[in-house]
Amino acid sequence: MEYMPPSAAPTQGHILCCECGVPVPPNPASMCVACLRARVDITDGIPKQASIHFCKQCSRYLQPPGTWIQCALESRELLTLCLKKIKASLNKVRLIDAGFVWTEPHSKRLKVKLTVQKEVMNGAILQQVFVVEYVVHSQMCDDCHRVEAKDFWKAVVQVRQKTSHKKTFFYLEQLILKHRLHQNTLRIKEIHDGLDFYYASKQHAQKMVDFLHCTVPARSKSSQRLISHDIHSNVYNYKSTFSVEIVPICKDNVVCLSPKLAQSLGNMSQICVCIRVTSTIHLIDPNTLQIADIDGNTYWRHPFNSLFHPKQLEEFIVMDINRVQERKLSAGAGMRSNKHTLAEAWVKKTSEMNTDHQYFCRTHLGHLLNPGDLVLGFDLANCNLNDEFANKMNPHDVPDVVLIKKSYDRSKRQHRRNWKLKELERDREGMDTDDERQYQDFLEDLEEDEAIRRNVNIYKSTHIPVESDTDDDGAPRISLAEMLEDLHISQDATGGEDFT
């Protein structure tokens, strides 16, 4: 017998596989790995093919039962969604690893390689790798279905303004774009007196109504119509309508206040000029530079109208102008504007240059006008005022002319304009000549009024104007510091971000 030193450890022996007879280390199954895999399939019961639904319109995947989520290709979110499809079958095995197998993006196939373990035959642990293939089926989500249908809506916000000029609507459109209030709309329809916003839920419509009340002076009322009723579950289906009416006053309107309202505003003159409309109506008295802000509630308690149509603006030439020294106002007077200068001016209509007829007036544009300048205004001396408050005024208190704004060459201003605005995507037949003129008026108002410009996103234009020495007529312009880069962020076909 051969002697074995005590320090030497015994070597592990081998056994023969009970199926093929190959020597293998001892294991509870007494089989080699090949025979064990041939007799036992731990992936039995796990589907090797499944389906997943994808919406091509919004690039989202369906997470049952009714949630649509945004997932990039080969992302962790998409892998989680794929594993949830076979989660019930994976409960019998232990998931070790999972990852995507590359496929062509247009193949409508997603392949996931899974590594699983399971205890088989007397405690032996078997590990196996297999691939599950997901077929991507196209299915339109509910939100996109409502957008495509264009008539499947739960709430509509009808915004109206009974005025001939759309300056307030152009301003409101820019506010909606800046605060991204249009994202939840199914459809935006433009009609003669305003816009209609369609929504899939009443909450989104109510959010728009609240936004309108905070940005423009308006009043609203709501109604709802029963569409269907489930008597078993006591579920009612309504269509809600919100009607929002914006005050019929726009920038550069001449208004006549009621005596009671003018007195409550610090004994202002009844004839005032609207210098801008934001969340309130901003008025200025051209005789004293006294200013006042009227909110929506005050307006509807003491309503007043515009005296003139914007097309009734006439062009005057300044013959002479004298700045007026500030005088102390009477007791109880309100605030005065620091951005305007009171002046007395002699003006003549450009259509009456062959006559000697001149008009005397006081104006709040003393800081802009000089002899020889052209200015737009309204002629009150030669018109018939159809207003209940103006007809009751003392004729001596009604000015002959009310000057509104300095006139510049519009063609030159358009030629050198190096900025642009974005517009809402809406259903409309097209802009006619009058709408284009009103839109140009709004662009000029942005150049002239810095207070309105603060609430609007202005973007640099790709158009580079070529200017000459004769183009600079002193018209106000927007500086480059106030402009934003027009950056578009969208998703490409592979689910990544595309910067343009």
Side-chain angles (χ1 to χ4, degrees):
M1 178 180 295
E2 183 180 357
Y3 173 75
M4 178 181 295
S7 60
T11 59
Q12 184 179 8
H14 286 74
I15 64 173
L16 298 180
C17 176
C18 64
E19 291 287 335
C20 62
V22 175
V24 294
N27 59 75
S30 299
M31 289 186 187
C32 65
V33 175
C35 296
L36 189 60
R37 287 178 177 174
R39 294 193 59 181
V40 179
D41 184 12
I42 64 173
T43 65
D44 187 24
I46 301 177
K48 304 304 186 294
Q49 191 172 25
S51 62
I52 191 169
H53 295 87
F54 175 73
C55 178
K56 294 188 294 184
Q57 275 73 12
C58 61
S59 300
R60 294 188 298 176
Y61 292 88
L62 174 62
Q63 178 176 320
T67 305
W68 292 83
I69 59 176
Q70 195 88 25
C71 300
L73 289 179
E74 299 190 3
S75 64
R76 181 180 299 178
E77 293 79 8
L78 185 57
L79 181 60
T80 303
L81 180 62
C82 293
L83 294 179
K84 285 183 178 180
K85 300 287 291 186
I86 58 175
K87 182 179 179 180
S89 303
L90 292 176
N91 290 333
K92 299 178 181 179
V93 297
R94 184 194 308 171
L95 182 63
I96 302 301
D97 188 23
F100 282 101
V101 178
W102 186 86
T103 56
E104 290 285 350
H106 59 273
S107 65
K108 300 293 184 180
R109 297 292 188 274
L110 297 175
K111 293 184 177 181
V112 180
K113 183 173 69 173
L114 302 178
T115 303
V116 295
Q117 287 182 350
K118 186 178 181 181
E119 185 176 339
V120 296
M121 298 184 66
N122 302 323
I125 297 178
L126 185 62
Q127 180 172 307
Q128 194 167 345
V129 179
F130 65 103
V131 175
V132 179
E133 182 180 290
Y134 294 85
V135 181
V136 181
H137 295 284
S138 296
Q139 177 180 333
M140 189 178 293
C141 66
D142 294 339
D143 295 336
C144 294
H145 186 272
R146 294 187 183 102
V147 173
E148 291 298 324
K150 293 186 177 180
D151 58 351
F152 191 87
W153 50 272
K154 292 294 185 66
V156 58
V157 179
Q158 300 173 340
V159 186
R160 301 290 184 269
Q161 186 182 31
K162 298 177 181 179
T163 182
S164 58
H165 205 291
K166 298 181 179 180
K167 284 185 178 180
T168 307
F169 269 106
F170 292 138
Y171 172 69
L172 183 61
E173 177 183 7
Q174 297 304 316
L175 291 179
I176 293 174
L177 285 169
K178 181 175 182 177
H179 297 280
R180 307 174 70 85
L181 262 294
H182 63 290
Q183 288 186 329
N184 296 322
T185 56
L186 301 179
R187 179 189 180 195
I188 302 176
K189 182 179 179 182
E190 180 177 355
I191 63 172
H192 177 65
D193 290 332
L195 297 172
D196 289 345
F197 299 87
Y198 294 89
Y199 294 91
S201 66
K202 184 178 178 181
Q203 290 77 11
H204 291 155
Q206 185 64 55
K207 184 178 180 180
M208 171 60 82
V209 174
D210 296 339
F211 174 78
L212 293 175
H213 279 292
C214 296
T215 52
V216 291
R219 63 179 177 181
S220 64
K221 58 182 180 180
S222 62
S223 62
Q224 59 184 11
R225 179 165 58 97
L226 181 64
I227 303 301
S228 61
H229 174 213
D230 188 351
I231 60 175
H232 300 288
S233 59
N234 201 27
V235 174
Y236 293 84
N237 184 16
Y238 291 99
K239 277 192 174 182
S240 303
T241 301
F242 296 88
S243 178
V244 180
E245 182 181 0
I246 303 176
V247 296
I249 304 297
C250 291
K251 185 180 183 297
D252 298 334
N253 283 165
V254 178
V255 300
C256 183
L257 308 178
S258 64
K260 183 177 181 181
L261 179 60
Q263 184 180 8
S264 65
L265 297 176
N267 294 321
M268 289 183 67
S269 300
Q270 289 184 246
I271 303 294
C272 296
V273 178
C274 177
I275 54 177
R276 77 176 61 89
V277 177
T278 55
S279 58
T280 59
I281 305 173
H282 302 264
L283 300 178
I284 188 170
D285 183 357
N287 291 319
T288 60
L289 296 186
Q290 191 171 341
I291 56 175
D293 296 340
I294 300 178
D295 58 10
N297 294 331
T298 304
Y299 175 84
W300 298 117
R301 287 197 303 267
H302 306 281
F304 52 87
N305 298 314
S306 175
L307 299 181
F308 295 95
H309 191 275
K311 293 183 179 180
Q312 294 177 276
L313 274 172
E314 298 187 62
E315 191 176 58
F316 296 84
I317 185 171
V318 180
M319 308 302 296
D320 190 19
I321 186 168
N322 296 315
R323 275 68 177 178
V324 177
Q325 298 295 330
E326 295 185 2
R327 296 180 302 176
K328 291 185 178 181
L329 299 177
S330 59
M335 296 179 57
R336 296 184 57 170
S337 174
N338 296 324
K339 297 182 180 180
H340 299 82
T341 302
L342 186 62
E344 294 178 343
W346 287 93
V347 296
K348 178 187 288 190
K349 289 184 181 180
T350 55
S351 59
E352 299 176 352
M353 294 301 293
N354 56 348
T355 64
D356 296 333
H357 191 88
Q358 296 185 11
Y359 300 89
F360 174 79
C361 65
R362 280 197 165 195
T363 178
H364 60 290
L365 304 176
H367 59 297
L368 297 176
L369 300 179
N370 293 298
D373 288 343
L374 297 178
V375 62
L376 299 176
F378 294 106
D379 181 8
L380 278 73
N382 301 314
C383 69
N384 294 323
L385 296 178
N386 187 17
D387 186 84
E388 59 173 331
F389 302 131
N391 294 334
K392 297 178 182 179
M393 288 182 62
N394 188 340
H396 297 287
D397 296 333
V398 179
D400 293 339
V401 172
V402 177
L403 302 181
I404 300 300
K405 59 191 297 187
K406 188 176 179 179
S407 178
Y408 301 96
D409 190 341
R410 170 164 287 184
S411 60
K412 290 183 179 179
R413 297 183 73 170
Q414 293 182 9
H415 178 70
R416 70 186 184 192
R417 188 170 290 145
N418 59 346
W419 54 275
K420 62 181 179 179
L421 299 176
K422 292 186 177 181
E423 297 183 7
L424 287 174
E425 295 183 3
R426 55 185 181 270
D427 298 338
R428 61 182 178 185
E429 297 179 357
M431 295 181 66
D432 54 19
T433 305
D434 188 54
D435 289 342
E436 181 63 29
R437 180 188 61 83
Q438 295 182 17
Y439 187 69
Q440 293 299 325
D441 288 343
F442 173 69
L443 297 183
E444 293 174 1
D445 292 342
L446 288 179
E447 293 176 335
E448 297 169 5
D449 196 341
E450 183 181 357
I452 298 181
R453 250 187 350 252
R454 295 195 195 102
N455 302 326
V456 175
N457 284 341
I458 299 174
Y459 299 91
K460 296 179 183 178
S461 176
T462 56
H463 168 68
I464 302 177
V466 180
E467 300 184 10
S468 63
D469 296 337
T470 60
D471 288 341
D472 191 8
D473 55 354
R477 304 178 64 176
I478 298 179
S479 63
L480 289 174
E482 300 178 77
M483 302 180 192
L484 303 174
E485 294 288 348
D486 192 7
L487 177 65
H488 298 278
I489 302 178
S490 59
Q491 286 198 341
D492 57 12
T494 60
E497 291 185 345
D498 179 24
F499 295 86
T500 58

